[in-house]
Amino acid sequence: MIRRIINKVFGRKPRTAASRAQILPLAAHGIRRDQLDDCALKVCETLAQAGYKGYLVGGAVRDLLLGRTPKDFDVATDATPEEVRRLFRRSRIIGRRFQIVHVMCGRETIEVTTFRSNGQQETGDEDEHAPADRPHAEPARVTDEHGRLLSDNVFGSMADDAARRDFTVNALYYDPAREEVHDYFGGVADCKKRVLRMIGDPEARFREDPVRMLRAARFAAKLDFHIDPDTRKPVAALAPLLANIPRARIFDEALKLLLSGHALRGVHQLRAEGLHHGMLPLLDTILDDPTGERFINAALKTTDTRIAEDRPASPAFLFGTLLWPQVLQRWRALEAAGERPQPALFVAMDEVLDAQRSRLAIPRRYDGMMKEIWALQPRFEQRGGQRPYRLLEHPRFRAAYDFLLLRAESGEVDAELGDWWTRFQEVGEDERAAMLQADSSPRPRRKRKRRKPGDASSGEARPA
Ligand code: ATP
Ligand code: MG
C-alpha cells in the first residue's frame, strides 16, 4: 500500500518498476521441485552451493504453472558467465555481445543467463545484488530512431532482469531449494487469468523490440491466452516496424510459431493482429481465396496434429504448403498462356521462390525438398502403366503424397485422386494391377526426343 502511494507520488508505474518480488510459497503456485528435470535442478543446486543465486526462469516456470511440460529449462543467475563456466566442467560460453552459458548435462543443454538490465537502472532495491564485475562499461542503453533497443548486454539485479523480460508470465523465477516463485509483475495471477500482459509501457517495449509483437501472437495461440487490451492496442500501428528486423530473425520466429503445435490458431492470430504482413506476407493472397484458405488450414492442422503426436514436422513441407497457392496460381497462368504443364510448373516454382526470398527469407536449404514435393504433384495424375510404381519408389513419395492429400482436402484436386493413391499403397499386387487405368492421361503430342541409353535419369514427370 505504502509502496503504491510512493509509486504514485514519484510517478512510477508498479508494472515497470517492481523492484521487490512477491515471494509465493508452494501452496500458492503448486510447482514441486521434483517436476523439474534433473539437469535443471542440478544446475540450480550447484550455483547455490557456490554461493550464487540460481533460479529456473522464463517459459519453463510459466509452463509448469499451467500444468504443461516445459520443452526446455532456462536458468538465471547472479554469477557472471565466466563464473558459471568455471563451475561446470561441461559448459561453454556462447555469444559475444550477449553471453550465455550452455551447461551440458547428459544429452541436455541448460541455458544459464546472467541477470541483465535493460539499461534503465533501478535504484533502492536493497535486497538485490548485481554481479560484481560489469565488464561492459559502454553506454547502457542504445536505441535506433524507432526506439529499437540495440544494446542489451549490461548485467543487473534480479529485479532489473525481470523488468527487461517481455510478458508478466515470462518473468517468474522459481527457486527449487525453497520451492518458491518470485513474481515481480503479477505473472502468477495473469497465468491464472490467462492474460498475456506486457511488462512496462507496451508501446515502448514493442518499439524496443518489434519481434515481441510476433511473440505475443505466438504465446496467445500456444497458451490459449488472450492479449491484454492495453498490450494489444499499439500493435496495429507498430506492425510496420517489423520491416526493420533482420529477416533471419523473422524467419526463426515464423518457424517457432508454425512448429509450436498451435500453428492454425497462431496464423489466424497473426492475421487478426495485422502482423502477417511482417512475418508471412504470403498469407494475404492465400487466405483471400477459399480454396487457398482451406488448403492452408488443412496444412496447419496436420502440422499441429503431428506435433501433438510427437511426430516430426518438416519445415520444408510446411513452407512448401504456404507457398503452394502462389505456385499453383502462377503455374495455371503460365499454362493458360500456352506453356506446357511441366516446364510451366518449374518456372512457377522458381518465380515464387525468388519473390519470397526478398520478404520472408526461407533459407535456401529448404528449396530442394519444396521443389521435389511440388514437382511430383503432376505425377499423381498419371495412373497407367509403370508410372505409379515408379512414383511409389521415389524417396519423396511420402511427403508428396501427404501434400496431395491436402490438395484433395481443400478441393483443389478430386478427393477420388487422393483415395486412389491411398488404396494403391494398401492393396496387394493383383489389385494394384487392376487399379491401373488405361493409359489415357493427357500428354503433349510432341514427338519424343530420342535419349541415349544411360541418359534416362529418374527425372521428374517427364512426358514418356
Ligand atoms: P518457449 O516455450 O516458446 O521457449 P519462452 O518463454 O521460454 O517460451 P524463449 O524465447 O525461450 O521463450 O525466451 C526465454 C525467456 O527470455 C522468455 O520467457 C522471456 O522472459 C525472455 N525473452 C525472450 N525473448 C525476449 C524478448 N524479445 N524480449 C524480452 N524478453 C524476452
Ligand atoms: Mg524457452
Side-chain angles (χ1 to χ4, degrees), residues 55-107:
Y55 294 94
L56 188 66
V57 70
V61 186
R62 177 197 69 214
D63 289 350
L64 286 169
L65 209 51
L66 292 168
R68 295 160 169 256
T69 314
K71 69 173 165 51
D72 47 38
F73 291 87
D74 297 330
V75 168
T77 182
D78 57 352
T80 63
E82 193 47 50
E83 287 165 339
V84 175
R85 204 196 51 76
R86 281 200 293 264
L87 279 180
F88 300 94
R89 202 169 48 82
R90 292 179 62 212
S91 67
R92 58 163 187 256
I93 296 181
I94 306 289
R96 247 195 282 164
R97 215 168 51 83
F98 191 109
Q99 291 189 327
I100 55 175
V101 185
H102 279 177
V103 177
M104 275 72 77
C105 168
R107 301 161 103 210

Side-chain angles (χ1 to χ4, degrees), residues 58-59 62-63 71-72 74 164-166 170 209 212 215 218-219 222 249 256:
R62 177 197 69 214
D63 289 350
K71 69 173 165 51
D72 47 38
D74 297 330
R164 58 160 271 280
R165 293 182 182 269
D166 46 8
N170 284 350
D209 181 6
R212 288 173 185 152
R215 290 174 57 85
R218 171 161 68 89
F219 288 129
K222 168 176 156 159
R249 191 160 175 231
K256 278 194 196 166

Side-chain angles (χ1 to χ4, degrees), residues 43-44 47-48 51-57 74-81 83-84 87-88 101 111-116 129-131 155-158 161 165 173:
V43 170
C44 291
L47 285 164
Y52 299 111
K53 296 184 177 187
Y55 294 94
L56 188 66
V57 70
D74 297 330
V75 168
T77 182
D78 57 352
T80 63
E83 287 165 339
V84 175
L87 279 180
F88 300 94
V101 185
E111 222 170 80
V112 184
T113 317
T114 304
F115 295 146
R116 309 277 155 154
H129 50 276
F155 295 145
S157 66
M158 181 155 141
D161 191 76
R165 293 182 182 269
Y173 297 73

Side-chain angles (χ1 to χ4, degrees), residues 147-163:
R148 180 149 72 100
L149 199 55
L150 299 174
S151 101
D152 190 16
N153 56 353
V154 185
F155 295 145
S157 66
M158 181 155 141
D160 296 333
D161 191 76

Side-chain angles (χ1 to χ4, degrees), residues 379 394 455-462:
R379 288 178 59 176
H394 192 285
D455 185 30
S457 64
S458 67
E460 306 297 357
R462 175 184 295 131

